[in-house]
Amino acid sequence: MPSNAATQAAESYFGAMIDAVQPWVPSIARLFTPASSPTRRVVDATVEELASTALQREGSQLVGAGFVAAPGVLSDARWHMAWWQGAKAERLLTDGEDAAGEAYARREWFVRPLEEGIPHLTGPYVDFLCTDEYTVTVTLPVVVAGRNVGVVGADVLAATLERGLGPRLRDVSPKAALLNSHGRVIVSADPLVAAGTLLREGTGERIASDFLGLSVVVPAA
């Protein structure tokens, strides 16, 4: 199987994650108007139903999903993370909302989609806010009347991606790897190449994708 088929498999996988949360954008956007801002409770009521449905859908491989508000857009909090996790769709509780807000406001998964106005893939990274495991996050911006109000997104564990995409990569080569836009390994067919490893430019044949900056590289023998 040519390496572009493995790239297409990755596009399909992450495209399905985007499709799972894209319909949330108008639902959440309707909570915000130029004249008023919702409370945390109003946001949570909407997002909990959306996230729980996505996490508990049969066959779902998502480990987390929700909405993260931009600073200052809610009426009763500067920061807010409406996020649910696991097959039981349990609410993520953060210690010290101000500290957590300052942390997520600097994270790539939060900053990049708001800066670029398009879906973004972040990871793999150790998600200290949510899973405490190697995680990949897909996020989309929520914009209301030209104002960024936050991001919707979903998490998948790197271990889950390895089971789903690893066989496709091994069909290409026992050394093939799927890379993110920074050239870091998301999944590798080689068990000695860990998730998060940075592969230098010029390392073997690389098949790039216009979708989320993904690429598949086959290192030279």
Side-chain angles (χ1 to χ4, degrees):
M1 183 174 71
S3 55
N4 62 341
T7 308
Q8 290 165 5
E11 290 176 356
S12 177
Y13 193 105
F14 293 115
M17 290 181 65
I18 291 174
D19 290 344
V21 297
Q22 178 78 61
W24 303 3
V25 173
S27 298
I28 294 172
R30 283 194 291 270
L31 304 177
F32 296 84
T33 71
S36 64
S37 299
T39 63
R40 288 173 292 181
R41 180 174 295 181
V42 168
V43 168
D44 286 351
T46 295
V47 178
E48 181 175 13
E49 182 177 357
L50 298 170
S52 296
T53 299
L55 292 170
Q56 295 176 332
R57 183 178 292 119
E58 185 176 357
S60 175
Q61 297 185 344
L62 302 180
V63 71
F67 168 73
V68 182
V73 300
L74 301 185
S75 62
D76 60 348
R78 175 162 173 75
W79 313 101
H80 191 54
M81 191 170 195
W83 204 265
W84 278 260
Q85 293 182 280
K88 294 182 179 180
E90 297 176 325
R91 174 65 190 272
L92 172 69
L93 299 177
T94 58
D95 294 329
E97 191 163 79
D98 285 345
E102 293 287 354
Y104 75 60
R106 297 191 297 270
R107 294 291 194 266
E108 180 182 338
W109 53 260
F110 185 79
V111 173
R112 290 286 293 276
L114 293 180
E115 287 181 344
E116 299 173 1
I118 57 176
H120 184 75
L121 181 150
T122 304
Y125 64 101
V126 179
D127 185 2
F128 292 113
L129 286 176
C130 298
T131 65
D132 286 327
E133 297 185 54
Y134 264 106
T135 302
V136 172
T137 301
V138 171
T139 41
L140 292 74
V142 181
V143 183
V144 178
R147 179 177 64 149
N148 291 327
V149 299
V151 300
V152 295
D155 293 330
V156 62
L157 296 180
T160 302
L161 290 173
E162 184 175 344
R163 292 192 296 270
L165 296 175
R168 298 298 188 97
L169 290 168
R170 287 190 285 275
D171 286 341
V172 174
S173 165
K175 298 289 187 180
L178 175 68
L179 309 183
N180 66 15
S181 60
H182 301 300
R184 291 192 180 277
V185 172
I186 299 173
V187 181
S188 175
D190 185 348
L192 297 180
V193 179
T197 299
L198 179 63
L199 294 186
R200 299 186 303 273
E201 284 292 335
T203 303
E205 175 191 5
R206 184 171 299 197
I207 306 297
S209 168
D210 293 331
F211 183 71
L212 297 176
L214 296 169
S215 61
V216 170
V217 64
V218 180

